[in-house]
Amino acid sequence: TIHSINDKPYSLPLFDRQPAAMARVKQSGSPRRLKSAAILLAAAGLVLCRPGLSFGSAPPGAAPKAPAHGEAAKSQMRQMQMPEAPKDPLEWSVEKVSSASFMESAAFAGSLCRVLEQGEGSEGHAERLKAMLGHSDGARGFFVTYLTDPALEKIADAPEGLPDIVRNALKDCDISTVAPLAVMNVAMPTATALQHKALGDETSAANSERTARRGRKVLQLLAADAATGALTREKLQGCLKAAEAWPEEGEEVEKEWATFLRRWKYDEAQVQAIREVLKDALPA
């Protein structure tokens, strides 16, 4: 499951990931490996990939082959190793957080989010969260945990909205990176939830719905903010326009979003669900 934004494979939402599985480690001293691609990637239908890296890519000289949903994810997961996360996120300097790879960022996000969930966030934690959202690998690593971990009820599911430390970091993010992520973090799990329901997998459907629900909070905050709103609304409306035109692709439809929908081979019900959830996310 690969997405392309601006003709680059887009890593996002490893929304199928179950955070508890990522916490499993081997005690042999060897690097930690992400465990069980089926568990990690089956719940929400989103995968990760660094810009310039495509999962399931054809060998050099061979004709490209579109991977089936999940096949590319499994292929990548076999190659990935999860670095050790610091027990205390303040052990990592802001500079290290700012330059961390995707996998390092995903590991760090687990440590940081646990501290925030416990209500122990400080100025130092806020600085590191802003640093994560200031670059592509960091933002994707953060969302992998924040949108999917069922244990993060206080900082991700509170009815009063996002906590200030998360809200402020999002408003100060690299919006050119985060805006398209925020749109797909809503569209993809929304569509995947329907697929799980059709297969009778209510547990995975609920996981995808939680990811979409949390993603919608992030998207709505960014779309309504004075600093981040213009570009976020542009990306949101671009994806919505592509969904409304689907399965046609007229000149008014942006290539990145037409490619996004076509690559995933969403059916009519899934595209309709994407239309509805994106319309709901638009500021009044």
Side-chain angles (χ1 to χ4, degrees):
T1 47
I2 307 165
H3 291 287
S4 175
I5 289 298
N6 296 327
D7 297 323
K8 294 182 179 179
Y10 169 59
S11 142
L12 150 86
L14 193 135
F15 288 145
D16 287 354
R17 157 188 176 287
Q18 292 294 334
M22 296 192 73
R24 300 189 190 122
V25 299
K26 293 183 177 180
Q27 301 300 325
S28 62
S30 60
R32 297 197 299 176
R33 286 188 176 276
L34 294 178
K35 308 291 282 183
S36 179
I39 293 176
L40 295 178
L41 295 168
L46 307 177
V47 294
L48 55 146
C49 108
R50 294 188 305 251
L53 174 65
S54 176
F55 296 79
S57 298
K65 179 181 178 181
H69 192 83
E71 291 180 0
K74 291 179 182 179
S75 174
Q76 184 183 21
M77 297 302 288
R78 287 193 291 267
Q79 304 174 39
M80 300 182 71
Q81 294 180 338
M82 177 63 74
E84 291 290 338
K87 293 182 179 179
D88 179 358
L90 296 182
E91 293 176 10
W92 282 23
S93 67
V94 173
E95 290 72 21
K96 181 171 183 176
V97 175
S98 297
S99 61
S101 68
F102 170 77
M103 293 303 293
E104 290 171 334
S105 295
F108 181 77
S111 177
L112 178 61
C113 285
R114 284 192 295 273
V115 170
L116 300 184
E117 180 69 13
Q118 294 166 3
E120 300 176 2
S122 65
E123 182 177 348
H125 296 104
E127 290 175 346
R128 285 157 179 78
L129 178 53
K130 288 182 180 180
M132 288 195 78
L133 295 176
H135 66 113
S136 177
D137 283 338
R140 291 181 293 115
F142 172 71
F143 287 129
V144 159
T145 293
Y146 182 73
L147 298 180
T148 65
D149 190 338
L152 302 180
E153 296 180 351
K154 294 179 181 178
I155 63 171
D157 298 326
E160 59 268 23
L162 306 184
D164 287 343
I165 194 168
V166 175
R167 178 184 296 270
N168 293 336
L170 286 168
K171 290 182 177 182
D172 199 32
C173 71
D174 175 7
I175 194 58
S176 64
T177 293
V178 173
L181 283 175
V183 174
M184 282 191 262
N185 286 355
V186 175
M188 295 171 70
T190 295
T192 304
L194 292 184
Q195 181 181 20
H196 288 311
K197 288 181 178 179
L199 296 173
D201 188 347
E202 293 298 329
T203 298
S204 293
N207 290 337
S208 292
E209 289 171 347
R210 178 180 56 241
T211 296
R213 184 169 58 251
R214 290 177 175 181
R216 187 163 59 249
K217 289 183 179 182
V218 170
L219 180 59
Q220 289 175 322
L221 183 148
L222 293 172
D225 183 67
T228 61
L231 185 56
T232 303
R233 291 191 297 272
E234 176 185 324
K235 296 299 181 182
L236 195 166
Q237 291 167 341
C239 187
L240 177 58
K241 185 175 291 186
E244 290 176 335
W246 181 93
E248 303 298 326
E249 298 178 13
E251 293 183 359
E252 73 282 0
V253 176
E254 296 179 24
K255 178 181 177 181
E256 59 179 332
W257 297 113
T259 301
F260 168 74
L261 296 176
R262 183 174 64 253
R263 183 183 294 272
W264 281 98
K265 300 181 180 179
Y266 291 134
D267 62 26
E268 184 173 353
Q270 289 175 309
V271 175
Q272 177 60 32
I274 290 173
R275 292 187 201 111
E276 292 175 359
V277 75
L278 293 183
K279 285 181 180 177
D280 183 62
L282 281 170

